[in-house]
Amino acid sequence: MTGPVPLRVPGRLFTALASGGGGADALRLLARAEHSRRLACALAVTESAGEVGGGVADAVARAWDVLTAAHRTDPEAVAAVLSHPSAGTALTCLLARLDRVVAGGPGVACAPPVHWFSALSAAAAVRAGVPGRVRWALATDEVFLPSLGGARFPGARPGDVAEVVVDADGAARIQVAAGSGPARPVEVPRVPSGPSGRWRAAHRLVVPDAGGPLLLDDADPLRFPGVPARPLGLAEDDLCRWRSTAREACRLLRAHHPQTYAELTAGPRTLVPVDRPGSFSGSSAEAFGAMALSRPRSARGLALSLAHEMQHAKFAAVLHLFDLFEQDGEELYYAPWRPDPRPLLGLFHGAYAHLGVAEFWNRRRAVERDSAERALAEAQFARWRVGARQATEVLLASGRLTALGEHFAQTMLGTLDALCRLPVPAEARRRGLALAADHRAQWVRRNGVPEAQLI
């Protein structure tokens, strides 16, 4: 299997991204970049495992051989596995653990979870239809193949051996010789389409006419950093609520926010439900393609969260390609959307995300029919265009941006200046600015930072 290849970002796409957009073309390019990065991580895992030696090196070498065979047969199958959000989590966490072992640092007493790499290779073999067997020692009673799904094997214990078998006709099954006796094998569906019988997998919420599906994943143990490995336990009515709300949110985006919709459906997107109060949403730089969300209260609220997190996903992928600022600063800054001081990375991320939020509300005020909803959209637009602009000005004044980062932030500022020139009813503008002022005053009281010290 060949290593990562150089990637060129056309100037027009870089500028489009910096302006807050980019569209489907930019998302597909960023997805290719993320796949290349994960391939580089897989190569680095094999090198680090070789330095560790012993059983770790042997297990990783066997998994790499399987990945290589799958790539020779069907490169797109391997790309589908490595591009899955949980593959990013698995590879980066495993590489960090291996590097700590090599360096002899903290945590070396814990064995690196090389079974994650074995599971990635097994998923690639299943998708590519490469006959053979992939084995690894279990850490729990569950066997999961990233991008496909998995199953529990009651009675299995850590140390029992899982085996993924791919037959000559491409049919695949998982079997475990558990301590209490062999557990019944589980067939791997040929086409991933959600849970069925003992098989657990992501639910399909929306399948657009073109582009990738929108999934809800409560199954993959590595579906998102920081969430419990065990499923949240969605009831059927919860799943129905997610599905109906997601469909309506996508209809809303397709009708009124076509660029966001095009970005959302440029590839598969995975929503990860979390048990958090309010309207929580989050993204991870290492789980490109996934967004963690609390249960949505409305289609518009979900559409806003999707637009917000798409901005974070784009910016995280851009930062994997380019150095936009110097990393060694310790300054903390006021961010109009957070209760706590933020480092420059967080301020940059948030400013870019809230540029997208401002554009979302700008469009909502043009299409909302109810007068109260339109007034809300006007006030939110007034608040976030100013908040994102102020944060962008702080970025530009920080003295820590690279030349490319300066260009990126200046382009953001140009978009925000254009938004700030748009007329807003006086009452909505007053409400929006009052919300911003109240947030700032509460932040000052909470963090004990004098108003005069804020930029």
Side-chain angles (χ1 to χ4, degrees):
M1 183 160 53
T2 57
V5 297
L7 184 79
R8 295 182 63 86
V9 179
R12 63 176 181 81
L13 280 185
F14 184 84
T15 299
L17 283 163
S19 70
D25 286 347
L27 262 294
R28 282 191 283 266
L29 184 145
L30 293 176
R32 290 198 302 274
E34 288 296 299
H35 170 251
S36 184
R37 185 172 187 270
R38 290 179 187 179
L39 182 54
C41 283
L43 288 166
V45 164
T46 65
E47 294 172 357
S48 290
E51 293 185 55
V52 172
V56 168
D58 292 342
V60 169
R62 288 193 297 270
W64 180 254
D65 287 342
V66 173
L67 272 176
T68 302
H71 189 269
R72 283 197 300 264
T73 301
D74 188 349
E76 291 186 3
V78 176
V81 174
L82 293 184
S83 297
H84 193 70
S86 65
T89 304
L91 288 169
T92 53
C93 290
L94 174 56
L95 182 58
R97 293 274 289 274
L98 288 168
D99 286 346
R100 283 201 294 271
V101 173
V102 171
V108 297
C110 299
V114 294
H115 62 281
W116 292 348
F117 201 63
S118 300
L120 285 172
S121 72
V126 171
R127 279 187 170 272
V130 175
R133 298 169 183 265
V134 183
R135 299 181 180 90
W136 65 90
L138 287 173
T140 68
D141 63 352
E142 186 173 47
V143 179
F144 209 90
L145 306 181
S147 81
L148 291 171
R152 288 187 62 200
F153 289 82
R157 296 173 297 187
D160 290 340
V161 176
E163 183 178 62
V164 177
V165 181
V166 183
D167 294 331
D169 62 355
R173 63 188 178 277
I174 305 172
Q175 52 200 33
V176 173
S180 58
R184 186 162 52 89
V186 176
E187 300 296 320
V188 180
R190 288 184 179 269
V191 179
S193 58
S196 176
R198 289 175 62 195
W199 189 255
R200 294 195 300 109
H203 306 271
R204 291 199 172 201
L205 298 179
V206 182
V207 181
D209 295 334
L214 191 65
L215 307 172
L216 185 71
D217 193 350
D218 184 41
D220 192 330
L222 298 176
R223 58 195 177 275
F224 196 85
V227 302
R230 289 295 189 190
L232 184 60
L234 291 176
E236 186 61 32
D237 58 341
D238 288 328
L239 179 59
C240 290
R241 172 70 180 273
W242 272 99
R243 186 169 281 125
S244 62
T245 307
R247 287 173 177 169
E248 183 57 33
C250 285
R251 282 194 290 268
L252 183 154
L253 290 172
R254 183 174 61 244
H256 303 303
H257 307 263
Q259 180 170 264
T260 299
Y261 181 76
E263 293 175 352
L264 183 69
T265 59
R269 293 286 177 267
T270 300
L271 308 186
V272 176
V274 294
D275 189 14
R276 293 280 294 269
S279 299
F280 170 82
S281 68
S283 297
S284 166
E286 304 305 342
F288 182 81
M291 310 173 188
L293 299 162
S294 56
R295 189 172 70 174
R297 297 176 178 176
S298 67
R300 188 184 65 186
L302 177 57
L304 174 59
S305 293
L306 294 175
H308 183 167
E309 297 307 330
M310 281 302 303
Q311 294 295 102
H312 280 301
K314 288 188 293 183
F315 192 71
V318 167
L319 289 181
H320 283 160
L321 293 172
F322 304 105
D323 292 324
L324 300 185
F325 58 92
E326 298 171 0
Q327 300 281 352
D328 56 352
E330 298 180 357
E331 302 90 342
L332 296 175
Y333 301 89
Y334 168 71
W337 48 84
R338 290 280 300 205
D340 53 340
R342 302 297 288 157
L344 193 72
L345 170 61
L347 188 70
F348 215 152
H349 247 293
Y352 188 73
H354 283 82
L355 184 161
V357 169
E359 290 191 313
F360 178 90
W361 286 114
N362 183 38
R363 185 58 184 156
R364 294 315 306 159
R365 69 196 189 111
V367 300
E368 293 287 0
R369 297 180 179 179
D370 180 81
S371 59
E373 295 297 332
R374 188 165 55 253
L376 171 67
E378 296 276 13
Q380 291 296 316
F381 173 61
R383 177 184 183 181
W384 294 119
R385 68 177 181 177
V386 171
R389 190 186 187 284
Q390 289 174 343
T392 304
E393 287 185 310
V394 172
L395 291 170
L396 288 164
S398 68
R400 288 178 52 200
L401 301 189
T402 63
L404 201 58
E406 185 92 9
H407 170 67
F408 196 96
Q410 285 287 0
T411 305
M412 287 172 56
L413 190 65
T415 301
L416 289 161
D417 282 343
L419 293 177
C420 287
R421 288 193 292 268
L422 296 177
V424 174
E427 176 59 20
R429 183 174 182 274
R430 184 197 65 77
R431 285 178 58 197
L433 295 181
L435 288 169
D438 182 62
H439 180 279
R440 188 180 179 99
Q442 290 189 42
W443 188 95
V444 166
R445 288 195 296 271
R446 180 182 297 110
N447 296 288
V449 179
E451 174 73 29
Q453 290 186 15
L454 297 185
I455 298 176

